[in-house]
Amino acid sequence: EISAPGLDIQMYKIILQENWFKEINQSMTLMLGGQLGYGDSYGGKEFPFYKNFYVGGVSTVRGYAQGAIGPHSKATDGSIMFVGGNKEIIGNAELLLPMPFMRNNKQFRLSAFIDAGNVFSSDQSFSLSDLRYSVGMGVVWVSPFGPLKLVYAKPFNEGTNDKTESIQFQMGQQF
């Protein structure tokens, strides 16, 4: 994504994303996924805050609330506001399994997963020690209305201001 020169907003954003699936046997599949993102401005302009990356939630690092990992600021009422960052890293490993007692049913599946990731601001350097990790299990139903996901995840190393959610639900597909 890149904005045209001469506009009020002069920025670019690069995202590399890959998902790899390997069939272990007829009923189990291993999925390895990753995403790297970087955004910056040019022409002396500031990178717009609403273009920041956000990490946490069912689509990135499960067990953490949506967008609730990484740089934050305190609101006037003392609450924490997550502001995202211009750099992100996400990694996922997931074992997809059939539902017990439901042979040859492609609509339901179980999964066991390990997730890692974080987002960094422009003044932060990337460090593997800053990644957040989680492990858990989930179930997916490919319904007539789109996929429905229910996940139970346990974060390993949440920061003092990270928001966690052990049980998460997602309806539909995010693009």
Side-chain angles (χ1 to χ4, degrees):
E1 177 180 353
I2 187 166
S3 64
L7 297 176
D8 289 340
I9 299 170
Q10 295 181 353
M11 54 75 66
Y12 62 92
K13 203 169 174 181
I14 299 167
I15 300 171
L16 298 168
Q17 182 179 22
E18 181 67 30
N19 287 317
W20 178 76
F21 294 86
K22 175 66 177 165
E23 185 177 322
I24 295 172
N25 60 36
Q26 288 184 344
S27 61
M28 290 192 302
T29 302
L30 176 66
M31 188 279 294
L32 299 176
Q35 183 168 312
L36 295 171
Y38 181 79
D40 205 351
S41 59
Y42 62 91
K45 303 287 184 171
E46 190 173 319
F47 188 74
F49 70 91
Y50 54 86
K51 290 292 188 174
N52 279 346
F53 294 103
Y54 293 89
V55 173
V58 177
S59 303
T60 58
V61 181
R62 293 163 276 199
Y64 292 89
Q66 185 71 35
I69 298 176
H72 58 277
S73 65
K74 287 200 176 192
T76 54
D77 66 357
S79 64
I80 300 295
M81 294 180 358
F82 290 90
V83 296
N86 70 322
K87 298 173 275 199
E88 76 169 350
I89 183 168
I90 301 166
N92 312 98
E94 191 164 5
L95 183 62
L96 304 169
L97 309 158
M99 287 289 282
F101 312 112
M102 299 180 93
R103 294 182 140 256
N104 300 323
N105 188 329
K106 303 290 184 194
Q107 288 184 305
F108 291 93
R109 69 172 179 238
L110 290 175
S111 68
F113 59 83
I114 298 172
D115 294 338
N118 206 337
V119 63
F120 304 91
S121 64
S122 58
D123 59 346
Q124 288 178 302
S125 60
F126 167 78
S127 172
L128 289 177
S129 64
D130 291 330
L131 294 182
R132 301 294 189 255
Y133 299 93
S134 67
V135 64
M137 297 187 71
V139 62
V140 175
W141 173 36
V142 182
S143 77
F145 311 106
L148 302 175
K149 294 181 183 180
L150 181 62
V151 172
Y152 175 78
K154 175 67 178 142
F156 279 119
N157 60 337
E158 64 265 18
T160 54
N161 293 310
D162 294 342
K163 292 183 183 176
T164 61
E165 295 176 340
S166 295
I167 298 176
Q168 296 174 308
F169 177 77
Q170 182 182 40
M171 185 172 164
Q173 184 69 29
Q174 287 186 327
F175 295 98

